[in-house]
Amino acid sequence: MTDKINQENKNIWNANANYWDNTMGDLGNRFHQELVAPATVQLLNLKAQDTLLDIGCGNGVFARRMAQQGIQVTAFDFSENNINNAKKYDTHNIHYQVLDATSYEGLLALGKHQFTAAVANMMLMDLANIDPLFRALPHLLQKDGVFVFSVCHPCFNSCNVVIQENTIEVNNYQSLHTTKGEAIANQPQLQYYFDRSISNLLQTGFKHGFVVDGMEEPVFKQYKKAIFTKVPMVLVVRMRRNNTSFTTD
């Protein structure tokens, strides 16, 4: 069943890729520029010549941001159309490829301990199964390597949430929910969302030898729904290889 959903999900992203690219463009939309990117860059804390794996890179908007800082980026997406769009922009310091983040063997083929850090921006909720990715990452990251991920905030921005003008109602938070919705208004096809609790996300990392050593919950300074200047739409987490208790060698 997971394989069937995964293939359908890939078809959806291929169908939405051009619409997504037209919306995000070279620099990303407001959501990316104000919430996702600044917190993610801060938690990654990379320097020139470090190596970054960008997981589910879309049209490459974050890969370009990091490459412009001299970071050596390997970026992949399971949508061929997303990768083709990414290659239309500046590719200096970026190597793109088509790869499925749910394929453990495919991920390992990226190379053992090749990366200073890995990032997954707003894509874990796109995956029906996140375990293969968390399982593979310790093999891909260097000693003390970090994995930073951002997701729609499980408490305040998911299919379990009903947003009123000044209140947020949360239902069935602990359950894994699968639904379809829009990331961008009027996109050609609805996409899958796999909503997980914070504990589910973190425990998957703990299971594969990670610890949490950084977290951000950015909010808008101004927004049409004033409540999102007070509660976060995004959760950004940094996980680090726990070298004292876990080894892949």
Side-chain angles (χ1 to χ4, degrees), residues 191-204:
Q191 67 192 62
Y192 274 106
Y193 284 95
F194 303 94
D195 288 327
R196 300 172 174 90
S197 66
I198 294 173
S199 60
N200 181 281
L201 290 165
L202 299 188
Q203 286 170 7
T204 307

Side-chain angles (χ1 to χ4, degrees), residues 20-21 23-34 36-37 40-41 52 54-69 73 75-77 82-83 85-90 94 96 119 121-122 150 184:
W20 182 270
D21 182 46
T23 301
M24 296 297 286
D26 190 16
L27 300 177
N29 61 6
R30 182 185 176 193
F31 192 91
H32 179 84
Q33 292 186 40
E34 293 187 28
V36 175
T40 304
V41 170
L52 175 66
D54 188 349
I55 302 159
C57 64
N59 79 334
V61 61
F62 190 75
R64 291 189 292 277
R65 175 186 284 261
M66 301 309 292
Q68 289 166 4
Q69 299 179 20
V73 183
F76 72 83
D77 199 284
N82 274 340
I83 293 299
N85 285 332
K87 289 179 177 179
K88 296 188 301 185
Y89 299 93
D90 182 8
I94 308 174
Y96 286 112
V119 66
N121 273 326
M122 306 303 292
S150 59
I184 299 173

Side-chain angles (χ1 to χ4, degrees), residues 213-234:
D213 73 345
M215 187 180 299
E216 296 288 339
E217 296 175 290
V219 297
F220 284 111
K221 292 182 179 179
Q222 292 184 325
Y223 197 69
K224 58 186 177 182
K225 291 184 178 180
I227 194 168
F228 286 120
T229 66
K230 301 174 182 178
V231 298
M233 297 180 74
V234 173

